[in-house]
Amino acid sequence: MSTAGASADPLAALGALPGVADSVESVRKAVDRVYGHRVMRRRSNAITSEAALRGARGSAALSGADWALEEVRRRTDFSGDDEARTVGAALRLTAEAGQLLSIWRQSPLRVLARLHLVAAADKADQVGRPRKEGEPVDEPLVALPLPSVTETHGRLDGLAGLIIAGGSAPALVTAAVVHGELLALRPFTSHNGLIARTAERIVLIGSGLDPKSVCAAEVGHAELGRDAYLEALDGYVSGTPEGVAAWIAHCGRAVELGARESMAVCEALQRGAA
C-alpha cells in the first residue's frame, strides 16, 4: 500500500490510480445487471446458495483442489485426503462469511482468527492465531518471500485500522487490498489463500456492493487461472502504482466473471420456470 503515500485515506488514494476508476465502474455495472434480473426478485436465495457453492469450488481450485462442481455438490465427506479437506475448508469458510459481517468493521483481526479456526480445525495448537517466528507456512501456491512476524503483525494492525476507520474507497479497492495483503503476508500457518479470498468476499458483501453475495469473485479468480492470479499478486507486492492498479483490475475482472456466472444461473432458472 506504499503507493498511497501520506494520504489520510490511503485506500481512497488507490482509487485514483490509472485505470482503477474504470474497473470500479465496470464491476458496478456487472453487479447491477445481476441484481436487475427478474429471477433475483423471486429466487435470490437460490442464486446466493449456488454462488456460495461455486465460489467455494473456485477458491479450493486455486488452493490445489480443482474438483468438478458436481463432485463438490455431491460429496458429503471431506475428510479423506488433502484435497478433500481443502474443499471442505472452502465450503465452511463460505458458509461462515455471512455470519461475520457485523464483527468485521469493528474487529477484522478477530474475524480473520475465526476464519482460520473454521478452516484449520484439525491443527488445534496453531489455529486461530497468527504464526510465530520460525513456524513454517503451508501455502504451496504462493512462493513469494515470507515477511517476518514483526512486519506481518505491523501490517495487519495497519490494515485493521484502515478498515475500522472506514473511508471513501470503493468496495473493489478495499476488497482487493485486503485480499492482496493477506496473500502477501500469509499471517497463518495454513489456509491463507482460502482466508484471503473469503475476506475479499466479506468486504464485497459488507460494503453493499454485493449484499446478497451472488457475484462470487472466487469463481472469476479460478477462471482467470493461477498464472494470471500470481502475476497480478506479484504486481501488488511490488508496491508500484502500475502493479497495484493491475491487481485491483484483476480482482475487478474476477468479480465481473462471478457476476456473469450468476447471470447464467438466473437464465437457467428462468428457462426452467418458463
Side-chain angles (χ1 to χ4, degrees):
M1 293 188 290
S2 60
T3 59
S7 169
D9 190 351
L11 292 177
L14 295 180
L17 291 174
V20 170
D22 291 340
S23 294
V24 169
E25 180 62 20
S26 185
V27 165
R28 168 55 67 187
K29 288 179 179 178
V31 173
D32 285 348
R33 281 194 291 271
V34 177
Y35 278 81
H37 197 285
R38 61 187 297 181
V39 169
M40 281 292 294
R41 293 194 293 271
R42 305 191 311 271
R43 301 188 63 182
S44 64
N45 288 343
I47 307 302
T48 296
S49 296
E50 189 65 19
L53 183 72
R54 295 178 184 225
R57 191 218 74 82
S59 191
L62 284 173
S63 287
D66 192 1
W67 288 14
L69 179 63
E70 290 311 312
E71 176 65 10
V72 178
R73 196 190 305 278
R74 179 192 68 80
R75 186 75 73 96
T76 56
D77 181 5
F78 296 96
S79 62
D81 54 29
D82 286 346
E83 285 197 6
R85 285 190 287 272
T86 295
V87 174
L91 288 166
R92 292 194 301 274
L93 286 171
T94 301
E96 188 76 9
Q99 310 302 314
L100 299 172
L101 297 175
S102 62
I103 305 172
W104 175 257
R105 279 294 184 90
Q106 299 173 349
S107 184
L109 298 184
R110 180 181 164 195
V111 168
L112 294 176
R114 172 63 184 170
L115 292 176
H116 190 245
L117 181 66
V118 168
D122 59 328
K123 299 179 180 179
D125 59 332
Q126 298 174 340
V127 301
R129 62 159 175 81
R131 57 183 166 85
K132 298 177 181 178
E133 199 68 64
E135 285 186 323
V137 173
D138 181 14
E139 194 63 50
L141 175 66
V142 181
L144 293 166
L146 192 66
S148 70
V149 166
T150 300
E151 179 184 352
T152 297
H153 288 184
R155 286 171 61 175
L156 280 177
D157 286 344
L159 181 64
L162 291 174
I163 293 168
I164 293 168
S168 59
L172 171 63
V173 172
T174 303
V177 168
V178 167
H179 186 169
E181 282 291 286
L182 293 175
L183 277 180
L185 297 175
R186 281 147 289 160
F188 301 103
T189 57
S190 64
H191 299 89
N192 291 286
L194 294 176
I195 290 168
R197 291 183 287 276
T198 304
E200 179 184 48
R201 172 185 283 267
I202 289 172
V203 174
L204 295 172
I205 300 169
S207 67
L209 176 65
D210 182 20
K212 295 183 182 296
S213 192
V214 295
C215 302
E218 304 96 322
V219 169
H221 286 303
E223 185 172 337
L224 291 167
R226 288 190 187 183
D227 289 346
Y229 187 67
L230 295 177
E231 181 180 353
L233 178 62
D234 284 344
Y236 177 81
V237 172
S238 75
T240 65
E242 297 81 7
V244 174
W247 169 252
I248 294 171
H250 183 86
C251 291
R253 182 60 179 149
V255 176
E256 290 181 56
L257 290 171
R260 187 181 71 179
E261 184 93 349
S262 285
M263 278 291 289
V265 173
C266 286
E267 290 294 328
L269 288 176
Q270 182 168 280
R271 288 194 299 272

